[in-house]
Amino acid sequence: WDFLILFFCLPVVIFNEITKRRLLGDVSCRIVPFMEVSSLGVTTFSLCALGIDRFHAATSPQASTRPIEQCQSIIAKLAVIWVGSMTLSVPEILLWQLAQDTSPVSGVVTEYCTMKPSSNLPESVYSLVLTYQNARMWWYFGCYFCLPILFTVSCQLVTRRIRGTAKSECRGTKYGQCESHLNCTIIALTIIYGLCTTPENVCNIVVAYMSPDMSKQTLDLLNLINQFFLFFKCSVTPVLLLCLCRPLGQAFMDCCCCCCEGCGPDTTSSEGSADSKLKTEMSSSIFFDKPRETPPPLLALGTPC
């Protein structure tokens, strides 16, 4: 989803700031806010799911021997997160529309997006969109800011409390190191998310109570700053994951090297690639609660005949 934000929303915003024309017109005015709010939802519910996973790993009676989670289960969780985030963002499509303004000095027509529901909507839908618009600021603050931070902090505190008695036992083991590394990754993702969403929530609260005293240029500038903080979050999060999650970063580098070399067989590097694959499989325990066990190599037995 971060890639979709950078691939679609960022060019639209830059094009609008340079030309004062809205790329794709009214469609972009509705799709860009929808994708941006969906991005907040995907990150929020992903952090909550990761917090629950860490809690289950800490409270499991046999934490070090938990089986690897099936791919179907992971896909189902991702589907719930994505579909739920997009469903909660549907009011953004009905809330925004394209507007035009003519400069009294130069006479240049500029296009901008305004938060105003269309009067052509059915009465019941129109009332729901108005209700969402009035509660949008506090919905943003409560669901997309407080929920992931409080959820992550609570899960980390409970996990540390539960692991307090067994901390000395697991500190030197590989499983304990992987658990500590996973917790640090989740905390880092939460910190980046909190720092990037704080300006938007502060601006929303300030604008809600001081918008009559603020000019349109100031409001547009604040909105632009908030959008670029979101773009910064979408850019930093994948890099942070690749740097902190060593198996993921190693797999990414192997994929890039494979694409650059054309995936051609190389007899001289076959032994090195086998060792790299073995290291990747052994280090993949950072994603799971049980490292993959590789059987010992078979020895050749028998006579020369």
Side-chain angles (χ1 to χ4, degrees):
W1 200 270
D2 291 335
F3 172 78
L4 293 177
I5 291 293
L6 296 175
F7 182 78
F8 181 78
C9 298
L10 181 59
V12 172
V13 173
I14 293 178
F15 182 85
N16 181 52
E17 290 301 317
I18 294 176
T19 63
K20 301 303 179 182
R21 306 287 296 181
R22 196 70 184 183
L23 189 65
L24 300 180
D26 187 67
V27 176
S28 64
C29 279
R30 300 176 185 273
I31 297 300
V32 169
F34 168 77
M35 295 184 64
E36 291 177 348
V37 177
S38 297
S39 174
L40 298 178
V42 168
T43 307
T44 294
F45 300 132
S46 297
L47 290 176
C48 293
L50 290 173
I52 294 175
D53 180 74
R54 293 298 90 210
F55 176 76
H56 285 168
T59 56
S60 177
Q62 296 178 347
S64 60
T65 59
R66 286 180 62 195
I68 296 176
E69 188 173 4
Q70 297 296 325
C71 182
Q72 293 82 355
S73 175
I74 298 177
I75 293 177
K77 292 179 181 179
L78 292 177
V80 170
I81 291 173
W82 279 45
V83 174
S85 301
M86 290 187 290
T87 302
L88 293 176
S89 305
V90 169
E92 295 288 332
I93 300 178
L94 306 176
L95 183 61
W96 295 86
Q97 61 179 328
L98 183 66
Q100 294 182 347
D101 187 17
T102 303
S103 174
V105 179
S106 60
V108 178
V109 178
T110 59
E111 295 180 347
Y112 63 95
C113 298
T114 179
M115 190 185 299
K116 182 180 178 182
S118 175
S119 57
N120 298 327
L121 294 174
E123 184 177 357
S124 57
V125 178
Y126 184 80
S127 61
L128 289 176
V129 175
L130 281 181
T131 304
Y132 173 81
Q133 181 180 3
N134 296 330
R136 186 174 183 269
M137 177 190 65
W138 295 113
W139 170 254
Y140 253 66
F141 182 72
C143 182
Y144 297 137
F145 181 76
C146 295
L147 178 62
I149 294 178
L150 294 179
F151 207 95
T152 303
V153 172
S154 300
C155 289
Q156 291 295 322
L157 291 178
V158 173
T159 301
R160 290 179 182 273
R161 180 66 179 269
I162 294 176
R163 289 192 175 278
T165 57
K167 186 175 182 181
S168 59
E169 301 177 1
C170 299
R171 179 178 299 177
T173 63
K174 184 177 181 180
Y175 172 76
Q177 294 175 358
C178 292
E179 288 296 311
S180 177
H181 201 247
L182 271 174
N183 292 332
C184 293
T185 303
I186 297 175
I187 293 175
L189 292 176
T190 306
I191 291 175
I192 291 296
Y193 178 75
L195 292 177
C196 293
T197 54
T198 296
E200 182 174 8
N201 287 276
V202 172
C203 290
N204 289 339
I205 296 175
V206 171
V207 169
Y209 293 101
M210 299 180 58
S211 57
D213 301 331
M214 302 176 68
S215 62
K216 182 179 179 300
Q217 290 76 12
T218 304
L219 296 176
D220 293 340
L221 179 61
L222 292 177
N223 185 39
L224 182 64
I225 293 175
N226 296 334
Q227 284 185 317
F228 273 96
F229 267 106
L230 177 63
F231 298 147
F232 177 77
K233 189 267 296 182
C234 294
S235 303
V236 170
T237 300
V239 177
L240 187 67
L241 284 174
L242 291 176
C243 294
L244 293 182
C245 297
R246 286 169 293 181
L248 181 62
Q250 182 64 38
F252 180 78
M253 295 302 298
D254 292 343
C255 182
C256 292
C257 294
C258 181
C259 294
C260 294
E261 296 175 0
C263 300
D266 189 0
T267 56
T268 60
S269 62
S270 60
E271 183 178 357
S273 62
D275 294 340
S276 176
K277 182 179 180 181
L278 179 61
K279 291 180 181 178
T280 303
E281 291 180 353
M282 293 299 296
S283 62
S284 64
S285 60
I286 193 171
F287 291 118
F288 309 104
D289 298 300
K290 177 185 177 182
R292 295 183 180 180
E293 298 179 356
T294 55
L298 299 177
L299 298 178
L301 300 178
T303 62
C305 297

